Amino acid sequence: MELAYYSDYAVRLVNTEEPGRNKDSLTSVEAVRDLFGPSTQAARRATDSDVTRFRSVRARLRAVFAAADAGEETQAVDLLNSLLLEFPVSPQISGHDHRDEDGRPKWHMHLADHPSNATAGYAAIAAMGLAFHLTEYGVDRLGLCQAAPCRNAYLDTSTNRSRRYCSDRCATRANVAAYRARKRLENERSASTSRTAERAQDPT
């Protein structure tokens, strides 16, 4: 099953909002449709009413990432389970139009949704994809970027479970900020030491 593909639905939706920067790109039906990627048939079901519904699901998915990031494993699972109950999917075997070198279908598992609206369809796939990722790799593979004020969601696919940032850009920015903070502290300590030495040498 295409775990990375389905779990990315959750990441894409959560990252339409940047609370620390007071930014939200999920403001129109076109933005909703863009989230579906190449799934144009599902995107066509979206209406203006889905904007509000998508935002509600986004908040719940972010809560899953936040709980996982805080080490609240049971809470993350409970929050995700509530989404799975509300937005069910049906696994189906699919070959689509993909063929191998012998002309046979490339069978794979596909998550088929039967939604009443675009939000229900997207939420079902996002929640199931995230659930597969969580059970396959562990709750600690779900995180929120540590480069303030970013806090974008990410899925840790590193071999040693060491990822802390959503992108190389955020990692670089955080490393530069940490380096500057260290240098500033070193300079302050050096200046303090110099002043202490001067006072010790001054007989008055």
Side-chain angles (χ1 to χ4, degrees):
M1 188 170 287
E2 301 167 347
L3 296 178
Y5 174 76
Y6 287 125
S7 56
D8 191 54
Y9 271 57
V11 174
R12 287 205 306 268
L13 177 53
V14 170
N15 291 345
T16 59
E17 182 184 30
E18 297 181 71
R21 296 188 174 102
N22 199 28
K23 291 183 179 180
D24 188 346
S25 63
L26 191 57
T27 57
S28 66
V29 67
E30 288 77 17
V32 168
R33 289 172 178 157
D34 287 343
L35 285 168
F36 285 92
S39 182
T40 54
Q41 182 177 357
R44 279 197 293 268
R45 293 196 299 260
T47 67
D48 289 329
S49 299
D50 284 298
V51 176
T52 301
R53 289 193 289 255
F54 260 71
R55 286 178 170 179
S56 175
V57 171
R58 178 181 65 187
R60 294 170 67 183
L61 285 170
R62 176 172 282 279
V64 174
F65 278 93
D69 190 66
E72 299 291 341
E73 185 169 341
T74 301
Q75 183 183 3
V77 170
D78 288 345
L79 290 169
L80 190 50
N81 272 336
S82 70
L83 283 163
L84 291 169
L85 287 171
E86 187 173 344
F87 302 106
V89 295
S90 302
Q92 293 181 352
I93 300 173
S94 176
H96 297 304
D97 297 323
H98 303 294
R99 304 277 172 170
D100 62 19
E101 56 274 7
D102 297 322
R104 294 176 300 192
K106 290 185 177 180
W107 301 115
H108 62 277
M109 292 301 294
H110 173 73
L111 297 182
D113 59 279
H114 308 286
S116 56
N117 55 63
T119 303
Y122 192 98
I125 293 174
M128 184 61 75
L130 201 57
F132 277 122
H133 196 96
L134 184 152
T135 54
E136 180 74 15
Y137 302 109
V139 176
D140 57 345
R141 292 291 191 161
L142 279 59
L144 293 174
C145 186
Q146 299 300 302
C150 179
R151 302 302 281 168
N152 271 353
Y154 66 84
L155 299 171
D156 186 358
T157 56
S158 65
T159 55
N160 58 356
R161 299 172 183 262
S162 62
R163 185 170 177 179
R164 298 174 58 215
Y165 307 103
C166 69
S167 65
D168 290 339
R169 180 182 179 183
C170 277
T172 299
R173 190 172 71 245
N175 289 334
V176 169
Y179 171 78
R180 288 175 177 169
R182 286 195 304 271
K183 293 301 290 184
R184 186 165 53 249
L185 182 59
E186 289 173 5
N187 291 337
E188 290 172 355
R189 286 175 176 171
S190 177
S192 177
T193 301
S194 296
R195 286 194 297 270
T196 300
E198 289 173 359
R199 284 196 295 268
Q201 293 174 1
D202 187 351
T204 61

